[in-house]
Amino acid sequence: MARLQAYSGPMTALASAALFGASTPLAKLLLGGGLDPWLLAGLLYLGSGIGLGALELVRAARGRPSAEAPLERRDLPWLALVVLAGGIVGPLLLMVGLTHTPASSAALLLNVEGLATMGIAWLVFKEYVDRRLLVGAFAILSGAVVLSWQGGPTVFGPGATAIIGACIAWGIDNNLTRKLSSADPVQIAMIKGLVAGTVNLILAATTGARLPAVPEIALAGLVGFLGYGVSLVLFVLALRHLGAARTGAYFSAAPFIGAVLAVALFAEPITIQLLLAALLMSGGLSLHLAERHVHEHAHEAMEHAHRHVHDAHHQHGHGPQEPAGEPHTHAHRHQPMVHRHPHYPDLHHRHGHAH
């Protein structure tokens, strides 16, 4: 059981990457039909927001309370920054960059997001990252680079600079979302999808984009629901268990997953690039999956609310108004504790490390 729990974070991150990676060839299919890229971005985000909102309405109609902690007023500034960075600034810079950058260069540059996420987590938010994890993360990122490379020069002009800026915005988004990871991931993804989708559709309309036929809208919405909505829910859960650096590294496998799906769906050839990317990514993932970070560490007293079971970190009593079943959510207090066991930089293990 302990081993399964240790793997739940990585598997959740990889599932998130799989859904997002699968959305890429399907989005390319829609773009191949003449759909405006900016309009498609809006439809994908709206599909995620509306789809998750529909699930919330169904849950509420059945009288089934959520087992997750709801967003609180103190979370709103972080949520606003997440939507601004990841749902507005990132797509805006990407669209600007794509108008001035060859497709091969753009695909290569988009892999900067994984590196930005890890770098910000490591340097700004002081997540612990050892040499083994750095090697694994760069192996995964190298696989994504190899997969995206199509030859030709990469000119770092205004377009490339804008794309790099978009990746940095998404790296900031991923790290700020970590601040919200104890709250309901469905709420977070729903709000982000609705706001970002609306803004992107408005921006697309100002450029003269027109809505496609209903079947294309429905397909874009479905792809957005799975590839952006459900994927983001899983990404937030992975952030809760792994922290931003490790989640970002696992998520960098998304281009490879998308390429494999493209081979299966569209009979694309199996290339040397694909095989080399598979080798690099599998090596990097194996380094991460084999991680065993163990040392004696101290937990300070803290109080928060999130979904939990009564494990070694949650030995608290319950009042008459608090839920009895598990898992459940309520505000609870952690007493100071010193112990030793394998752990990730999750909600309860964001402590410093001596070097």
Side-chain angles (χ1 to χ4, degrees), residues 328-343:
H328 56 233
T329 299
H330 61 88
H332 55 276
R333 181 173 178 81
H334 293 269
Q335 299 300 326
M337 177 192 304
V338 177
H339 62 173
R340 174 187 176 93
H341 64 94
H343 59 277

Side-chain angles (χ1 to χ4, degrees), residues 17 30-31 68 72 92 95 114 174 176 198 202 224-225 254 260 276 314 344 352:
L30 289 167
L31 287 173
E68 296 285 350
E72 299 182 4
L92 177 60
M95 292 303 124
N174 294 337
L176 293 180
T198 301
I202 292 173
F225 169 63
V260 171
L276 181 57
H314 296 90
Y344 293 112

Side-chain angles (χ1 to χ4, degrees), residues 1-13 242 289-291 344:
M1 179 62 71
R3 189 173 183 85
L4 288 174
Q5 290 176 344
Y7 276 78
S8 63
M11 293 302 103
T12 302
L242 298 176
L289 289 171
E291 178 186 10
Y344 293 112

Side-chain angles (χ1 to χ4, degrees), residues 192-325:
K192 183 178 181 181
L194 291 173
V195 174
T198 301
V199 170
N200 280 288
L201 280 183
I202 292 173
L203 292 173
T206 62
T207 65
R210 295 181 178 276
L211 286 174
V214 172
E216 290 179 290
I217 294 176
L219 180 57
L222 178 61
V223 172
F225 169 63
L226 295 173
Y228 285 61
V230 178
S231 175
L232 180 54
V233 170
L234 294 172
F235 188 88
V236 174
L237 290 173
L239 286 172
R240 181 184 297 178
H241 294 293
L242 298 176
R246 289 160 179 79
T247 303
Y250 285 119
F251 197 76
S252 295
F256 173 72
I257 295 168
V260 171
L261 183 64
V263 169
L265 290 181
F266 307 120
E268 293 187 0
I270 298 176
T271 63
I272 296 296
Q273 284 176 290
L274 186 62
L275 296 176
L276 181 57
L279 181 64
L280 287 167
M281 288 187 171
S282 60
L285 289 173
S286 66
L287 287 173
H288 280 251
L289 289 171
E291 178 186 10
R292 183 175 173 82
H293 180 67
V294 184
H295 63 92
E296 187 174 83
H297 55 276
H299 294 269
E300 298 179 354
M302 65 182 296
E303 185 171 346
H304 60 179
H306 65 92
R307 180 174 176 156
H308 64 276
V309 297
H310 285 181
D311 56 16
H313 296 92
H314 296 90
Q315 296 299 315
H316 49 257
H318 286 79
Q321 302 301 320
E322 291 170 339

